[in-house]
Amino acid sequence: MSQAPDHDPDHWPRRLVAAMPVLPILIISGFVLVDLVSGSGTTWVPLLATGPALAATTGGPRGVLCVGLVAAVLGVSLGIRGGAQGSELAVALAALLVVTLACGAGSALRMRRERVLAAVRSVAEAAQHALLQPVPATIGPFQVAVRYSAAAAEARIGGDLYALVSTPYGVRLIVGDVRGKGLPAVGTAALVLGVFREAAHDEPDLLEVVARIERSLARNLGSDDFVTAVVAGYPREGQLEMVNCGHAAPLLVRDSVVVPVDPDRPAPPLGLRSLSGDAPALHVLPFTDGDQLLLYTDGVTEARNHDREFYPLAEGLARHTCDEPVDTVTALHAELQAHVGGRLHDDAALLLLRMPATAETPVRSEAPEPGRVGSCPS
């Protein structure tokens, strides 16, 4: 349905006022006030171009032109009041006009690039949701929480990967880290996750899941590319199977003690088995009521502060462990960002599994009190 024409006589004046940025107008007014006090004629007129230039940094072309128009009117008034010669005033106003037009064009280009960047960000965000699908708070017998931060914060996507799926062979998951950054790393992560999700449903043996990922990477990766990963499964009650392919050892929390789960036999990263010939081994870990397992990428443990000290993840986990995985990973993520001063320089992923006690009824904790980020009620 078409809209009726706007016959409001005050429509354009209102739009004109709304388009004019406040700060540039204040700056112009300041120059005019100084000129009125000093009575220096056209001396301050060229400085009125500061208004359009500043308006171009935040506003659109319409706002720049409005500020330039105000500056021109005020410049003419100052020149006439000061008795300036016509040629002198014309040169000053011509300079002001050129600056205004140039700033208006620059503002239009800036706004166009901002729209393109917003579109790219929305596509990246959609790609991230498709690649790193949301993880439910509970899956199978587990409580689960995930936090992910891409080093390229503007893109909101990176080379770390994780997935957790329920299959006929129990809950299975993967946490990995692709060598490198940028779009090539994202493409490799998408390849690994796609193969994992298919193989996890098809293969009864967890080692065969890893083997299918290895074969796919061997066909598609370059000789210098690889992926470190931990692939895990819960095929039967009380037992967690893990295959560690060159990845950082997960941290097990049991009876308030944090210990790393090192593989029985180290295996090379995915994509490099043909170079070493070593096959991965299956590690069976008892996993019962109250146990928690934190899987992570090296963007967490290799994060440094201003003194070049690594983030002590095991100590942080011991401080923040509670019965709510989401509170634990939220507190760890906040502490990690504080450790690096607010900006991570590598992709970082945290995935926490918790096996609730048999008699336990999971209840979401209340919002944490100030100063107790992510802590759970005792």
Side-chain angles (χ1 to χ4, degrees):
M1 179 182 293
S2 60
Q3 295 180 348
D6 190 349
H7 299 294
D8 184 357
D10 296 330
H11 175 66
W12 286 106
R14 285 203 305 269
R15 292 185 63 179
L16 184 65
V17 172
M20 289 190 292
V22 176
L23 182 58
I25 294 298
L26 291 177
I27 292 176
I28 292 175
S29 301
F31 288 137
V32 172
L33 181 61
V34 172
D35 186 272
L36 291 175
V37 172
S38 62
S40 51
T42 58
T43 302
W44 293 89
V45 173
L47 292 179
L48 296 180
T50 306
L54 183 59
T57 62
T58 57
R62 183 182 300 162
V64 174
L65 295 178
C66 289
V67 173
L69 177 62
V70 172
V73 171
L74 292 176
V76 170
S77 301
L78 291 177
I80 294 175
R81 180 179 180 277
Q85 295 181 1
S87 59
E88 181 182 0
L89 182 59
V91 170
L93 292 178
L96 178 59
L97 175 62
V98 170
V99 171
T100 300
L101 293 177
C103 291
S107 175
L109 290 175
R110 177 184 57 79
M111 293 187 68
R112 180 181 178 183
R113 290 173 180 171
E114 287 179 352
R115 287 193 294 269
V116 172
L117 179 58
V120 171
R121 285 179 175 175
S122 66
V123 171
E125 193 166 1
Q128 184 188 35
H129 285 304
L131 181 64
L132 303 177
Q133 298 175 0
V135 173
T138 59
I139 183 169
F142 300 114
Q143 294 174 281
V144 188
V146 174
R147 286 301 297 264
Y148 174 81
S149 296
E154 293 80 6
R156 303 178 185 175
I157 194 167
D160 286 2
L161 59 96
Y162 61 84
L164 192 146
V165 294
S166 181
T167 75
Y169 313 106
V171 175
R172 286 177 168 175
L173 64 95
I174 183 172
V175 172
D177 187 357
V178 178
R179 177 186 178 273
K181 297 183 178 68
L183 290 179
V186 174
T188 303
L191 173 64
V192 172
L193 290 175
V195 177
F196 167 77
R197 290 184 178 119
E198 287 295 320
H201 284 85
D202 295 343
E203 301 292 347
D205 189 345
L206 192 66
L207 285 173
E208 278 303 311
V209 175
V210 177
R212 280 182 57 172
I213 299 174
E214 177 68 37
R215 289 194 295 270
S216 180
L217 291 179
R219 289 192 299 268
N220 292 281
L221 291 189
S223 57
D224 295 332
D225 296 327
F226 59 86
V227 179
T228 67
V230 173
V231 183
Y234 190 74
R236 62 190 62 87
E237 185 176 352
Q239 287 189 353
L240 191 68
E241 296 179 345
M242 283 192 296
V243 180
N244 192 325
C245 299
H247 199 73
L251 297 177
L252 175 67
V253 183
R254 177 176 293 159
D255 299 327
S256 302
V257 178
V258 178
V259 294
V261 182
D262 294 309
D264 294 331
R265 189 173 69 204
L270 296 168
L272 297 181
R273 187 188 302 183
S274 60
L275 300 179
S276 66
D278 295 330
L282 191 68
H283 181 93
V284 179
L285 175 72
F287 201 71
T288 57
D289 294 356
D291 288 350
Q292 301 190 48
L293 186 71
L294 179 68
L295 299 99
Y296 54 93
T297 58
D298 60 9
V300 178
T301 51
E302 294 180 3
R304 296 173 182 260
N305 60 12
H306 296 300
D307 297 326
R308 308 300 295 167
E309 297 172 336
F310 293 113
Y311 174 65
L313 179 59
E315 297 175 14
L317 181 60
R319 282 192 298 271
H320 298 296
T321 296
C322 67
D323 292 343
E324 288 291 345
V326 66
D327 288 338
T328 301
V329 296
T330 298
L332 284 174
H333 188 264
E335 189 173 83
L336 174 64
Q337 289 197 314
H339 180 80
V340 299
R343 179 66 184 271
L344 293 170
H345 298 288
D346 194 5
D347 305 326
L350 295 162
L351 188 151
L352 181 62
L353 289 179
R354 180 176 182 269
M355 176 67 73
T358 304
E360 179 180 337
T361 302
V363 177
R364 183 73 176 88
S365 63
E366 300 295 330
E369 301 173 5
R372 298 182 62 204
V373 177
S375 61
C376 286
S378 56

